[in-house]
Amino acid sequence: MLPPGSKPNLPRRTPVQTGAMPPRSTLPGRSAGLALVAGLLLLFQPPAAGWPAPTLRAVLAESRPDILVASVHSVDSASGTLRLLTGRGHALRIVQVSLPRGVAITRMGAALALSDLKPGMIVRVRFTVESKGEVQQASEVAVQEGGR
Amino acid sequence: MSRSRGLLIPLIFSALVASALGCAQHPAKPGDPLPGLTKEQRELFDQGRRVVEKEFTQEQGVGPLFNAPACGECHEDPVAGGSGDELEVHVAVVRDDGTCDPLVERGGPVIQQFATPLLRAAMGIEREPVPAEATVQAGRTTPDLFGFGLLDSVPDATILSYADPEDRNGDGISGRPNRFFDGRLGRFGRKAFVPTLREFNDGAFPVEQGITNPAVLTEESIGGGVIPPGVDPAPEPEIDQPAIDAVDAFVRFLAPPAPKRLSREAKRGRSLFSSIGCAACHVPVFTTGDSPIQPLRYARVAAYTDLLLHDMGPELADICLGLAMPSEFRTEPLMGLSLNSRFLHDGRAATIEQALLLHSGEAAAARDRFKSLPHADRAALLRFLGSL
């Protein structure tokens, strides 16, 4: 096995050089999408000090904008928070969801407690979204089949 | 009589012209686009190649952590989109409850090997640190991307039709699908974790180059910590949608290299490949599904993979990812095999034969049948593999 970071046959490793920025184009609809992401970021707080903000636009682009499907990473029943694994390709992110009191958590229609959620379970979290794209709150958590 | 001759001559002429045109369509070379693209698709492919070959600077978005400043720095052999022998570092933890933690909170699963000058000055680090919590670590070489658009177009149902997680047919092969965090079937990456080529490409920019894009607006963390102020000068996203669309088109439209013409020996090797059991996982041919891209629609691709996970034994085991446990790997596609200079997921094998002999787990029986073949048959099988 080669040592990490090695490139035995082609040792060239070009240093980062300075240069001009490529032109950026304005994307139609991008501002609305960014507003929605910004709204979601208000709901999904980074789980610990120092954590980079989570990326959700990728998930939203692939699914309905009011639903996030992700895997449970960990559960904090005391604070009522759920930390979910999501991401795009191998760019993985953890987002933290604060669940308002009384939010329905179900599996195949049966009610669950937050503490019943275990790492590896796939959950479908529904939100209410205002017409401006701002997220109001998580309104439902349902366990999906397919996870651990 | 003269009337039938009058019809026959144009028919023969047409056949000769058609034959000549067919001969004029040369077999795909590495880096060629799929035949049959529209003019617009071909232009997008060419634009994408330019982005892939472009070396970005930190002012243009590279970093703060990265593995390379250009896609083509690693995907380079023999052309842009090809393989590379750089070795990445991936980490994970297998929890006591059997779940896999890719250590996202500590900068995983990919640990970047380089820091920009600004990050080096700010933090005094040359690369991202390997998390102390990591219980498993992996090396990853760069795969070539030839034919990936065709793999992306294979219907999920086709892949799942080869799954046999309980080995109900008793052949010792029990391929099972991996799934992304949202439950979708995975197919890209050595652990078959990423569901689509688009996501694979979108995610590669921040992970490999530290370049954010409209689909991934946040940088990779630095070992789970914050990025110091002033070390990431380019505003997010650091590459725009048209550029990443072009890169996606380039990767999607890369043709699989045409296999070499088979000698009589190689044809015998092809038969042995099936008869000793290699083809149980390295399924020779897939047919793609419907697609708006004509060359990807209902096309046959000699991929030699089932895109499923198989237990390869403890010697090859490294990280977990999604449902894939450390010893489970996706069957590596063998199309373009002859273009590679290192083999297996971490490049530990210098030859195809070494790679074959390192197969274990579900592949142990096929490996042992290979080992017991007469020398001439082993040579024939290797000749066939070397033609791919």
Side-chain angles (χ1 to χ4, degrees), chain B residues 101-167:
Chain B
D101 182 350
L103 289 173
V104 178
E105 292 166 294
R106 294 292 175 263
V110 181
I111 304 301
Q112 285 79 16
Q113 296 301 297
F114 297 94
T116 57
L118 285 171
L119 183 62
R120 288 202 299 269
M123 294 186 69
I125 59 171
E126 297 290 324
R127 61 182 63 84
E128 187 170 38
V130 173
E133 300 92 326
T135 56
V136 282
Q137 189 171 325
R140 288 286 180 271
T141 54
T142 308
D144 74 64
L145 307 172
F146 307 130
F148 271 33
L150 291 162
L151 292 182
D152 190 57
S153 303
V154 175
D156 283 5
T158 302
I159 299 167
L160 292 171
S161 72
Y162 291 100
D164 183 18
E166 309 302 325
D167 191 20

Side-chain angles (χ1 to χ4, degrees), chain A residues 17 20-21 24 51 55 57 83, chain B residues 57 59-60 105 214 218 237:
Chain A
Q17 299 168 345
M21 287 288 289
R24 293 177 187 279
W51 248 114
T55 298
R57 182 181 168 80
R83 299 166 77 204
Chain B
T57 67
E59 286 73 21
Q60 293 169 329
E105 292 166 294
T218 54

